[in-house]
Amino acid sequence: MVGSVLLERMRAEGDFEHFEPVFFSTSQAGELGPDVGQGKKPLRDATDTKALAEMDAIISCQGGDYTTSVHGDLRGSGWKGYWIDAASTLRMADDSVIVLDPVNRRRIDEAIAAGQRDFIGATAP
């Protein structure tokens, strides 16, 4: 799912009422980000692993090249947050969980309880 579709779904569900989102961009850092009901704020640099490490959770819609370039460095720095991604890059990693909610909701809950932090979307058949 592309970022704009995800944003619209999250707006429709009222998800942004439950946390303060921070938006990052690989190409438009410094420009104003989307208004999700909390005003527009400048986009942060999505390649800045120190800024990313401040986040409790990251939802990435950037694709495999981005995941490859950032995820390993971020985890290597000791970051313990949740990485949620649809790119195939981490799909087969031993410490990743494929997300097919509601199909495997039980597995997702078990993984969270066990301390797993990488959740990767599956492709549609």
Side-chain angles (χ1 to χ4, degrees):
M1 163 181 327
V2 296
S4 60
V5 174
L6 177 60
L7 281 178
E8 288 306 316
R9 285 188 179 184
M10 291 179 75
R11 276 188 195 119
E13 293 292 325
D15 293 334
F16 293 111
E17 298 168 15
H18 305 289
F19 64 94
E20 183 179 340
V22 178
F23 293 99
F24 290 78
S25 174
T26 56
S27 62
Q28 298 176 342
E31 295 182 25
L32 290 178
D35 185 351
V36 293
Q38 301 172 10
K40 291 185 176 189
K41 297 176 186 165
L43 296 166
R44 295 179 71 180
D45 182 354
T47 63
D48 182 349
T49 54
K50 287 184 181 181
L52 291 168
E54 297 171 9
M55 304 297 112
D56 295 322
I58 295 170
I59 300 173
S60 174
C61 298
Q62 288 294 313
D65 290 342
Y66 176 76
T67 298
T68 299
S69 70
V70 172
H71 181 269
D73 291 341
L74 196 55
R75 286 288 184 224
S77 75
W79 182 67
K80 303 288 186 202
Y82 292 96
W83 181 272
I84 304 161
D85 194 345
S88 63
T89 307
L90 300 174
R91 210 168 275 150
M92 299 302 290
D94 290 339
D95 54 355
S96 292
V97 177
I98 301 294
V99 175
L100 293 169
D101 184 43
V103 173
N104 70 333
R105 178 58 191 255
R106 188 165 157 191
R107 172 66 184 111
I108 294 166
D109 291 340
E110 290 168 354
I112 291 169
Q116 287 184 279
R117 301 287 180 150
D118 291 337
F119 295 87
I120 313 304
T123 58

